[in-house]
Amino acid sequence: MTVMQTTPADTARTAPADICSAPPRRHPRADGQDSYTISEVVAFTGLTAHTLRWYERIGLMPHVDRSHTGQRRYSNRDLDWLDFVTKLRLTGMPVADMVRYAELVREGESTYGERRELLESTRRDVLNRIAELRDTLAVLDRKISFYAMEGTTR
Amino acid sequence: MTVMQTTPADTARTAPADICSAPPRRHPRADGQDSYTISEVVAFTGLTAHTLRWYERIGLMPHVDRSHTGQRRYSNRDLDWLDFVTKLRLTGMPVADMVRYAELVREGESTYGERRELLESTRRDVLNRIAELRDTLAVLDRKISFYAMEGTTR
DNA sequence: TATGGGGTTGGAGTGCACTCCAAGCAAGCG
DNA sequence: CGCTTGCTTGGAGTGCACTCCAACCCCATA
């Protein structure tokens, strides 16, 4: 790893972010060869380059490193983080809250408790959303079956 | 119904909207006595007066009637409609699509087919959302259990 | 050496869904 | 009568999450 010459300390500082979200995802390239351009990340994540740069500006990314010419080079860890962030996004969590979580990650292990609380409250939100959606589903099904009945002739 | 002196034709034009969403909801006042001010509707629905007026402006309401002084008087039917609209909203359906649906309702029975299609596509969206949320839930649970393990000492 | 395709920046612009404002009217009350 | 409360309007403003722009740099290929 030419670009990836991080010291153990470095790794320890940035690692806790995704320690437990890896299992169900395969990276495009193995650790050690993981150095993706912004457009590769666009292809993998579905986010736009604009959004990726914007995420970085607002402090939602854990410091993406750069090529010798100053271009962004994303790692597997960054991909995992983006994956997680994307999941949080679609729970409806506001970006500001995700930035808060990113800050906690940067602050290190001492924030485990607060992070857990944040995730648990998010978890509750998700369960509520699911319940609401089920409810809506029931309403939709009732209406659909009405239209299916009345609309067979047309 | 004093206020509700609609002709049969009138009823036919506006009724199909909610024909099949009544069951699980009780109205604050019985049909015939149903004439709510905007602030009552605010209390019942949780929407703001601003939003209620705005919904009307953009064509999302099926013509709310007025008192002799020009104030809005909502009916039970309007409450049902708002209920339905609120459910659609939290599926993430854009307001423009709901306006489209409202237009179809105004156009009468001939649009049953199109309405059903719209609802069915919404239904698919809801199922997808639920699946995504489940996925997210799994990720959250993994992370939470990690923090629970590591964080017990703090 | 020119050209094309990628990348960079700060700051401005966009679209959605509200949300608010100012100015005004009508009814009820002391 | 004056005051408050609640409602009316069109149009302007807000906040969020992007999204785009102009101007620039760097490098590989023809």
Side-chain angles (χ1 to χ4, degrees):
Chain A
M1 29 161 99
T2 50
V3 181
M4 297 258 67
Q5 284 177 335
T6 53
T7 64
D10 254 312
T11 308
R13 249 194 291 109
T14 54
D18 316 322
I19 261 176
C20 41
S21 73
R25 197 180 199 281
R26 276 284 139 275
H27 297 129
R29 287 201 281 279
D31 291 7
Q33 272 72 49
D34 55 334
S35 177
Y36 311 100
T37 65
I38 200 165
S39 57
E40 287 175 313
V41 177
V42 165
F44 299 145
T45 62
L47 297 166
T48 71
H50 293 305
T51 301
L52 288 169
R53 286 192 275 255
W54 179 67
Y55 276 3
E56 207 174 322
R57 261 211 302 245
I58 63 173
L60 191 49
M61 291 298 299
H63 185 71
V64 176
D65 59 61
R66 303 293 181 118
S67 72
H68 67 107
T69 60
Q71 299 188 188
R72 286 171 183 79
R73 291 294 178 261
Y74 293 85
S75 66
N76 282 338
R77 187 183 309 292
D78 294 329
L79 253 35
D80 289 342
W81 175 252
L82 284 169
D83 235 52
F84 176 56
V85 157
T86 301
K87 289 228 178 304
L88 288 187
R89 275 300 296 123
L90 64 79
T91 68
M93 181 187 270
V95 169
D97 289 4
M98 304 192 315
V99 171
R100 174 76 191 126
Y101 185 83
E103 275 166 10
L104 292 176
V105 171
R106 278 195 290 277
E107 283 168 32
E109 301 191 7
S110 64
T111 63
Y112 275 11
E114 200 173 336
R115 283 190 240 171
R116 205 190 66 221
E117 279 160 31
L118 209 153
L119 295 185
E120 278 174 353
S121 112
T122 304
R123 191 194 130 92
R124 281 189 293 276
D125 292 347
V126 171
L127 287 175
N128 285 341
R129 294 274 302 109
I130 290 177
E132 285 174 338
L133 287 176
R134 269 196 206 308
D135 228 57
T136 303
L137 208 57
V139 173
L140 285 175
D141 284 344
R142 243 181 304 116
K143 279 199 185 267
I144 287 170
S145 73
F146 166 78
Y147 287 129
M149 233 185 294
E150 305 290 314
T152 41
T153 53
R154 87 161 247 304
Chain B
M1 343 174 136
T2 49
V3 182
M4 296 257 72
Q5 283 177 334
T6 53
T7 64
D10 254 311
T11 308
R13 247 192 293 110
T14 54
D18 317 318
I19 260 177
C20 42
S21 74
R25 198 181 198 280
R26 276 284 140 277
H27 296 128
R29 287 202 280 281
D31 290 8
Q33 272 73 50
D34 54 334
S35 175
Y36 311 100
T37 66
I38 200 165
S39 57
E40 286 175 313
V41 176
V42 165
F44 298 145
T45 62
L47 298 165
T48 71
H50 293 305
T51 302
L52 288 170
R53 287 191 275 256
W54 179 67
Y55 276 4
E56 208 174 320
R57 262 210 302 245
I58 63 174
L60 192 49
M61 291 299 297
H63 183 73
V64 176
D65 60 60
R66 302 295 180 118
S67 72
H68 68 105
T69 60
Q71 297 188 189
R72 288 170 183 79
R73 291 294 177 261
Y74 293 84
S75 66
N76 281 338
R77 187 184 308 294
D78 294 330
L79 252 37
D80 289 341
W81 175 252
L82 285 169
D83 234 54
F84 176 56
V85 158
T86 300
K87 290 229 178 302
L88 288 187
R89 274 302 295 123
L90 64 78
T91 67
M93 181 188 271
V95 169
D97 289 5
M98 304 192 314
V99 170
R100 174 77 190 124
Y101 185 83
E103 276 166 9
L104 292 177
V105 170
R106 277 195 290 280
E107 283 169 30
E109 301 190 6
S110 65
T111 63
Y112 274 10
E114 200 173 334
R115 282 190 241 171
R116 204 190 66 221
E117 279 161 31
L118 209 153
L119 294 184
E120 277 174 354
S121 112
T122 304
R123 182 183 197 278
R124 282 190 293 275
D125 292 347
V126 172
L127 287 174
N128 286 341
R129 293 273 306 110
I130 290 177
E132 286 175 337
L133 287 175
R134 269 198 205 308
D135 228 57
T136 304
L137 207 58
V139 173
L140 285 174
D141 284 344
R142 242 179 306 115
K143 278 198 185 268
I144 287 169
S145 73
F146 166 79
Y147 286 131
M149 230 184 295
E150 304 292 313
T152 42
T153 53
R154 89 162 242 303

